[in-house]
């Protein structure tokens, strides 16, 4: 079983009720696997009720990074949220925890 | 090729001044730039100003300047900061006073204003500027009476003007984080205000360094174990060249490291579409950025471009949105989970008895699912009989302060009236007021920045007005 964490590292942060999560591939091979398997749809499903809105994916190919922009992801936004992680500082770690089928 | 050397001094309100002191003593820089403002900060500052007209700026600027200013003036290093917050005028007066106290006569302190549109909201609405919520499309009328502040994220033109007029210290309000760095780049490198590729490059470079230690090994998930000496982490020292490229490094003999990995993590931090990074000064395209290790702790940044700045500027508007009440309590073996759930039921029943009102409540088990949330990680179950301890956190969004206060008050009886062995309830927490952020836009031509410069003089030299 492969997790995103085996292939990438990352960081997340907040802008209003949007949480963005960036993941950076550790190797060129890992980048190809990430691009293929870690789609916006998979990420949206992986977060379930935690993300109320849409998930969009953007690519930064020269640093082998994917950026996921997740709307309605912070319980109203950092200034309103009841969550302990109200700024989404560790939301990316749940993304790193995601399993991928690397055949 | 012309270049400018920029240091990152402070990266947020309350940041440690230690990296800035290391930098001012050991690094080769011409400017030290400091960001103090997050989304929520302006709400807090405005509240302080409404209670005391002399407040409303981030007061950390004073101990920071006390630590670095004498050395900075000696070495000719200029300081640029958005510590003015809601009250740049008062902040500037305090900075001038500090300069007098330190005997730094001749220092020129600039105050940049024009971002605050709080007093213009009704006039703008009358002019047909709707200020509707860009996320939801709702009209401002829905929260008009609850608005606490309205500040426009303004660009670097005021900072450029201040530097052209010889300012040594520039105090701003809600300028963009990037403008704090882009201002000295434009001033030193002669970039035109519509050279979009260069302004885009400068904005992207600024984004890499504005969060300080987050680019130099702090918070680095791709190998935190290998970061040397994090307690003495060095902040970014960056040479920006006139062609829009830069070398990102850090203060010599400090902890952390600078690698494409550490910079990449900062680059993706709080970015939406990397090909359209919108700021007041440009629309930067960092999607094709290249990061290259050129020496130990030196990363070359290149291949950032830009497009025209957006026709509208973003407004940071806040509104009062109730209060949050919180309680936390801990149970131990035996039957920790059963007791925790009974304790929670006890609290909910007590709250019902006192006519508690809340629009939302949340239960998390700290150590189990407080970070990823019960949405993703299940609550502990009563079958977990071996569990040594469990911590319950209960939080509620309430319409009034009184309701919010009840959460803690009604949790206190758990100490002696509830299930056996409750502990860790703690002392009464302060009630936190909630602020909503109302994202909206304003046409840029409606905003004009103003720069005022005060020269620090000996009191006895001052001429009567």
């Amino acid at each position: 079983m492969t997790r995103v964490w085996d292939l990438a590292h990352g960081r997340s942060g907040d802008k209003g009720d949007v949480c963005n999560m960036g993941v950076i591939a550790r190797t060129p091979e890992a980048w190809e696997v990430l691009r293929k398997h870690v789609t916006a749809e998979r990420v949206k499903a992986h977060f379930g009720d935690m993300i109320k809105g849409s998930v969009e994916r953007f690519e930064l190919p020269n640093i082998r990074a994917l950026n996921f922009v997740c709307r309605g992801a912070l319980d109203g936004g950092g200034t309103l949220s009841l969550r302990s992680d109200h700024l989404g500082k560790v939301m990316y770690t749940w993304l790193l925890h995601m399993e991928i089928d690397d055949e | 090729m012309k270049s400018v050397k920029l240091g990152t001094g402070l990266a947020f309100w309350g940041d440690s001044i230690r990296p800035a002191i290391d930098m001012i003593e050991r690094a080769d820089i011409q400017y030290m730039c400091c960001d103090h403002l997050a989304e929520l900060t302006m709400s807090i500052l405005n509240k302080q100003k409404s209670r005391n007209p002399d407040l409303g700026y981030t007061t950390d600027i004073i101990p920071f300047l006390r630590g670095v200013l004498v050395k900075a003036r000696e070495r000719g290093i200029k300081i640029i900061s958005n510590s003015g917050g809601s009250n740049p005028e008062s902040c500037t007066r305090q900075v001038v006073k500090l300069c007098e106290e330190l005997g730094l006569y001749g220092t020129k302190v600039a105050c940049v204003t024009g971002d605050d549109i709080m007093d213009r909201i009704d006039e703008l609405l009358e002019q047909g500027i709707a200020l509707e919520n860009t996320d939801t499309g709702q009209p401002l009328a829905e929260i008009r009476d609850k608005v606490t502040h309205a500040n426009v994220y303004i660009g670097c033109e005021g900072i450029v003007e201040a530097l052209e007029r010889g300012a040594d210290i520039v105090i701003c309000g809600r300028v963009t984080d990037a403008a704090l760095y882009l201002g000295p780049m434009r001033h030193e490198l002669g970039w035109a205000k519509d050279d979009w590729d260069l302004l885009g490059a400068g904005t992207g470079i600024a984004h890499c360094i504005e969060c300080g230690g987050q680019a130099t090994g702090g918070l680095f998930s791709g190998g935190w174990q290998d970061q040397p000496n994090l307690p003495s982490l060095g902040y970014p020292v960056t040479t920006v060249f006139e062609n829009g490229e830069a070398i990102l490094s850090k203060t010599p003999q400090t902890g952390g490291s600078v690698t494409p990995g550490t910079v990449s993590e900062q680059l993706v931090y709080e970015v939406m579409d990397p090909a359209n990074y919108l700021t007041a000064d440009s629309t930067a395209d960092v999607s094709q950025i290249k990061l290259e290790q050129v020496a130990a702790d030196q990363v070359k940044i290149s291949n950032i471009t830009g497009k025209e700045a957006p026709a509208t500027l973003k407004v940071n508007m806040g509104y009062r949105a109730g209060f949050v009440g919180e309680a936390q309590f801990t149970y131990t073996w035996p039957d920790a989970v059963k007791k925790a759930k009974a304790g929670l039921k006890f609290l909910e029943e007590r709250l019902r008895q006192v006519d508690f009102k809340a629009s939302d409540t949340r239960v998390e088990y700290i150590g189990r699912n407080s970070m990823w949330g019960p949405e993703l990680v299940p609550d502990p179950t009563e079958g977990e009989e071996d569990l040594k301890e469990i911590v319950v956190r209960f939080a509620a969004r309430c319409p009034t302060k009184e309701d919010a206060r009840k959460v803690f008050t009604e949790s206190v009886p758990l100490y002696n009236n509830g299930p056996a062995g409750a502990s860790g309830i703690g002392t009464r927490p302060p009630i936190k007021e909630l602020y909503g952020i109302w994202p909206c836009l304003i046409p840029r031509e409606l905003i004009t920045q103003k720069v005022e410069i005060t020269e620090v003089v000996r009191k006895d030299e001052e001429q009567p007005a």
Side-chain angles (χ1 to χ4, degrees):
Chain A
M1 178 194 55
T2 306
R3 293 191 192 276
V4 174
W5 171 233
D6 298 321
L7 306 173
H9 55 105
R11 184 169 292 177
S12 53
D14 71 304
K15 271 221 162 66
D17 200 16
V18 176
C19 178
N20 92 290
M21 299 178 238
V23 288
I24 299 137
R26 297 173 195 272
T27 63
E29 298 72 37
W31 166 240
E32 293 308 323
V33 179
L34 280 186
R35 279 185 71 203
K36 184 170 167 206
H37 293 281
V38 189
T39 60
E41 297 71 31
R42 290 270 346 255
V43 171
K44 167 88 176 150
H46 180 63
F47 278 87
D49 281 349
M50 196 80 165
I51 297 174
K52 307 284 183 208
S54 62
V55 174
E56 255 184 297
R57 187 180 97 165
F58 298 97
E59 297 189 8
L60 298 94
N62 295 328
I63 59 165
R64 299 192 293 259
L66 295 176
N67 185 36
F68 295 90
V69 174
C70 311
R71 294 175 191 279
L74 292 171
D75 188 30
T79 61
L80 287 175
S81 177
L82 291 180
R83 291 185 197 157
S84 286
D85 185 27
H86 62 291
L87 297 172
K89 293 278 185 200
V90 294
M91 272 182 81
Y92 78 97
T93 58
W94 180 250
L95 180 54
L96 296 180
H97 193 255
M98 188 171 107
E99 293 174 20
I100 51 183
D101 329 305
D102 180 18
E103 71 277 6
Chain B
M1 193 171 8
K2 272 201 281 189
S3 65
V4 58
K5 295 187 173 103
L6 307 176
T8 304
L10 300 174
F12 56 92
W13 185 9
D15 198 359
S16 163
I17 65 170
R18 166 82 188 274
I21 289 174
D22 288 343
M23 188 182 287
I24 214 89
E25 284 170 359
R26 297 209 285 273
D28 177 17
I29 56 169
Q30 296 160 266
Y31 293 86
M32 184 173 267
C33 308
C34 301
D35 173 31
H36 307 247
L37 304 175
E39 269 187 336
L40 179 60
T41 318
M42 298 302 287
S43 292
I44 298 166
L45 291 174
N46 215 63
K47 190 171 174 178
Q48 293 179 353
K49 186 181 164 187
S50 66
R51 287 176 182 166
N52 179 342
D54 290 333
L55 295 181
Y57 60 93
T58 64
T59 48
D60 59 346
I61 186 69
I62 300 301
F64 162 76
L65 287 177
R66 210 177 266 288
V68 303
L69 193 53
V70 170
K71 198 91 187 180
R73 294 292 296 125
E74 239 174 69
R75 300 187 50 195
I77 297 166
K78 300 183 175 220
I79 291 169
I80 303 173
S81 153
N82 59 9
S83 60
S86 295
N87 203 344
E89 297 89 346
S90 178
C91 184
T92 301
R93 283 193 293 274
Q94 293 305 317
V95 171
V96 168
K97 219 158 108 186
L98 178 71
C99 290
E100 288 165 358
E101 183 196 317
L102 297 173
L104 297 171
Y105 305 113
T107 301
K108 287 182 176 168
V109 186
C111 178
V112 177
T113 54
D115 59 305
D116 192 340
I117 57 163
M118 184 67 174
D119 295 334
R120 291 171 61 191
I121 292 177
D122 293 318
E123 170 205 328
L124 288 166
L125 290 172
E126 276 168 34
Q127 285 174 41
I129 311 299
L131 302 170
E132 77 265 12
N133 188 310
T134 47
D135 286 349
T136 63
Q138 289 166 291
L140 183 67
E142 298 202 6
I143 54 131
R144 174 66 189 95
D145 56 332
K146 300 194 189 81
V147 172
T148 54
H149 75 273
N151 294 79
V152 180
Y153 285 97
I154 55 175
C156 69
E157 61 263 30
I159 297 172
V160 174
E161 184 190 328
L163 294 174
E164 276 165 7
R165 289 167 57 188
D168 301 298
I169 303 171
V170 184
I171 301 294
C172 313
R174 188 56 280 193
V175 296
T176 66
D177 305 351
L180 298 166
Y181 295 87
L182 199 57
M185 289 184 216
R186 267 190 60 195
H187 173 66
E188 293 282 342
L189 305 174
W191 292 350
K193 64 178 185 205
D194 59 353
D195 194 330
W196 305 119
D197 276 334
L198 289 175
L199 296 182
T203 301
I205 293 163
H207 175 68
C208 289
I209 55 182
E210 73 196 10
C211 293
Q214 285 191 194
T216 53
L219 221 60
F220 182 49
S221 84
W224 57 270
Q225 306 92 324
D226 306 325
Q227 295 302 314
N229 199 10
L230 285 176
S232 299
L233 186 65
Y235 271 29
V237 172
T238 309
T239 306
V240 184
F241 299 94
E242 65 178 326
N243 67 355
E245 296 181 346
I247 302 283
L248 198 168
S249 184
K250 67 182 180 72
T251 303
Q253 298 116 46
T254 53
S257 66
V258 183
T259 66
T262 64
V263 181
S264 293
E265 282 195 20
Q266 173 54 29
L267 186 79
V268 295
Y269 180 68
E270 294 179 355
V271 162
M272 312 282 275
D273 174 359
N276 292 286
Y277 184 77
L278 299 169
T279 71
D281 291 298
S282 79
T283 302
D285 180 353
V286 297
S287 66
Q288 305 303 314
I289 191 171
K290 287 185 183 159
L291 300 173
E292 193 188 334
Q293 191 90 53
V294 291
D297 291 328
Q298 286 190 29
V299 166
K300 180 179 168 190
I301 303 174
S302 64
N303 218 34
I304 309 176
T305 57
K307 288 171 272 192
E308 190 170 353
T312 48
L313 298 177
K314 188 174 162 186
V315 184
N316 176 302
M317 194 183 286
Y319 62 96
R320 283 186 297 277
F323 298 83
V324 68
E326 282 182 76
Q328 190 176 306
F329 45 92
T330 306
Y331 290 94
T332 55
W333 185 94
D335 299 320
V337 179
K338 281 183 190 156
K339 287 188 281 194
K341 295 202 171 173
L344 193 58
K345 230 170 139 184
F346 176 104
L347 174 60
E348 286 165 347
E349 174 58 20
R350 294 282 302 220
L351 286 170
R352 200 189 57 75
Q353 289 170 5
V354 294
D355 195 26
F356 172 68
K357 291 196 174 50
S359 59
D360 262 307
T361 61
R362 183 173 180 86
V363 176
E364 295 169 345
Y365 293 89
I366 292 174
R368 287 294 288 264
N369 64 7
S370 69
M371 291 294 133
W372 288 348
E375 293 88 348
L376 301 174
V377 180
D379 289 345
T381 62
E382 295 184 6
E384 296 177 57
E385 287 164 8
D386 273 345
L387 208 59
K388 303 294 183 288
E389 72 173 48
I390 183 108
V391 186
V392 186
R393 173 178 176 263
F394 177 91
R397 250 193 302 257
C398 305
T400 69
K401 208 173 198 169
E402 290 63 42
D403 283 299
R405 199 171 279 131
K406 286 173 188 170
V407 177
F408 178 78
T409 310
E410 296 304 320
S411 75
V412 172
L414 281 170
Y415 260 138
N416 46 18
N417 301 5
S423 188
I425 292 173
T427 50
R428 182 177 295 279
I431 298 295
K432 196 167 80 181
E433 181 161 14
L434 292 172
Y435 297 96
I437 297 289
W438 186 266
C440 56
L441 300 170
I442 185 170
R444 66 164 57 237
E445 62 273 15
L446 295 179
I447 299 300
T448 309
Q449 298 190 32
K450 202 173 110 194
V451 180
E452 267 184 54
I453 295 185
T454 309
E455 186 167 344
V456 180
V457 291
R458 264 179 217 279
K459 279 286 182 234
D460 49 25
E461 284 175 11
E462 238 168 342
Q463 300 298 311

